[in-house]
Amino acid sequence: MTRTRPVAPGTLPRDMSDRYQDLLADVDLADFPGTMQKTARRMDQWILDYLDYTTPAGDDLPLAGLFSHVSRFNARVTSRIIRDAITTLETREHLTPPLPFCWISMGSDARGEQVIRTDQDNALIYADPPPGQSKTADTYFNALAGLVTQGLDRFGFTFCPGNVMATNPEWRRPLNLWLAGLDQWVGSTDPMAVRKLTILLDFKAVFGDNRLAAMLQTRVFKNFETHGSASHFLARDDQLFAPPKTWFNRIRTRRNGQCRRCFNLKTQAVAHLVNAARLFAVNHGIQVPATLGRLERLWEDRVITGQEYREISRAFVFLTRMKLTAHLTRAQTGPESTLPNNCIDISRLAPEPLKQLGHALDAVTRFQKKAATTYNQAWMNFFN
């Protein structure tokens, strides 16, 4: 049931704010390691309540505000887990960090859009070790990464099935090897290198020496200034996934068990918006990681028109809200065998939401096509 309370525009309702501050405080308590799963469930309920609020004017609370609050909470949790891991290594192994380091998150968490706890995407950058100290340094950071990823898993950020975590040497390197690896991925036609580059293009510093992350990000933008092929392969990678509608303007669905017309809101819709916004942003020197923030900057820089900005932003907000509500509702009320996912059965949608979904997917298709037209160079396909 939707609840209505007096809410000033752009502010968080008082009771929601108080509960949020309590959640942040819980992360700092001494017994947090033993209560983290309970805290995670309370955060899920807080998110559901946020999505459920309606102001007296009939407006929803802004999605950007939800992103901001959840991102701050997730960073607080991750930082606490890292500090505990450092303390554990110091007391148990008598080891301290041998070099400055920076823990970074990637993907939706880096964009501030990971409202739902999914699998981990993280990495670790550490300062270049002195000659002869490489093995010692990496041994420590490997141990640290193991403790941190285990802690994140206990909280609800499951281990990445693709092993995109700091426990993987490919995602745990000294700065000089990170820069060399980035140069290799940007200039490569290998689809795996393109996927790795896509993952790395959305990252943010979470804990440690932020200067290491800043140096890596600077290298990213310099590479895109000199390697036009990188944009082509990123655009082509997104084109491998079909647009959300068919030639006959029907939403692409499939039968999946009891779901008659199953549509994946993430892979078939939201991902295309994220990919296109990222591609335009990195080519125009826009270092804002959030999709809505990127779209706003692209409009301000006249890369997209005002009409495109409004249509794409509305589509992103609508699709994301629908995805989050469906996902969290299943997580809270569904049986354990019905794990939350990003799919909806559009045969069960009422006429108005179905109509809104159709309009949103039209915007997705147009933006995906705009990115492909701008950056996909057909002649380069002959080289790979």
Side-chain angles (χ1 to χ4, degrees), residues 301-351:
D301 294 349
R302 300 186 178 182
V303 179
I304 60 176
T305 66
Q307 181 177 348
E308 287 175 324
Y309 168 65
R310 289 187 293 272
E311 288 180 350
I312 299 166
S313 297
R314 280 199 297 263
F316 180 80
V317 169
F318 174 81
L319 292 165
T320 302
R321 277 188 173 273
M322 180 176 279
K323 176 172 71 78
L324 294 178
T325 301
H327 198 154
L328 281 167
T329 300
R330 290 193 191 101
Q332 291 282 333
T333 63
E336 187 174 351
S337 59
T338 309
L339 295 176
N341 54 50
N342 298 297
C343 294
I344 58 167
D345 187 347
I346 68 169
S347 67
R348 299 182 179 181
L349 290 180

Side-chain angles (χ1 to χ4, degrees), residues 236-247:
R236 194 182 70 169
D237 190 57
D238 184 68
Q239 288 293 111
L240 295 176
F241 300 91
K245 283 190 170 184
T246 68
W247 284 101

Side-chain angles (χ1 to χ4, degrees), residues 185-239:
W185 294 346
V186 168
S188 176
T189 61
D190 180 5
M192 185 57 68
V194 175
R195 294 293 174 87
K196 292 173 182 175
L197 179 61
T198 300
I199 295 170
L200 185 63
L201 287 179
D202 293 333
F203 80 87
K204 71 172 182 180
V206 177
F207 183 93
D209 191 338
N210 292 356
R211 292 173 298 177
L212 295 168
M215 284 186 276
L216 183 60
Q217 188 173 56
T218 298
R219 187 65 149 258
V220 167
F221 285 92
K222 284 186 177 179
N223 269 317
F224 270 82
E225 289 176 1
T226 56
H227 291 81
S229 60
S231 296
H232 162 77
F233 289 115
L234 287 175
R236 194 182 70 169
D237 190 57
D238 184 68
Q239 288 293 111

Side-chain angles (χ1 to χ4, degrees), residues 80-153:
R80 171 61 191 269
I81 291 172
I82 294 172
R83 289 195 300 271
D84 287 351
I86 292 173
T87 300
T88 297
L89 289 175
E90 186 172 357
T91 57
R92 190 178 68 190
E93 308 290 342
H94 305 292
L95 297 173
T96 57
L99 296 164
F101 74 94
C102 185
W103 185 275
I104 64 174
S105 65
M106 300 178 291
S108 58
D109 184 52
R111 296 192 302 272
E113 297 163 4
Q114 191 180 52
V115 174
I116 308 300
R117 285 186 304 282
T118 57
D119 57 285
Q120 301 178 37
D121 283 317
N122 50 58
L124 193 152
I125 313 168
Y126 55 92
D128 297 333
Q133 298 297 314
S134 296
K135 186 175 181 180
T136 300
D138 194 63
T139 297
Y140 174 86
F141 289 118
N142 182 38
L144 179 66
L147 291 175
V148 174
T149 54
Q150 289 169 23
L152 291 171
D153 179 66

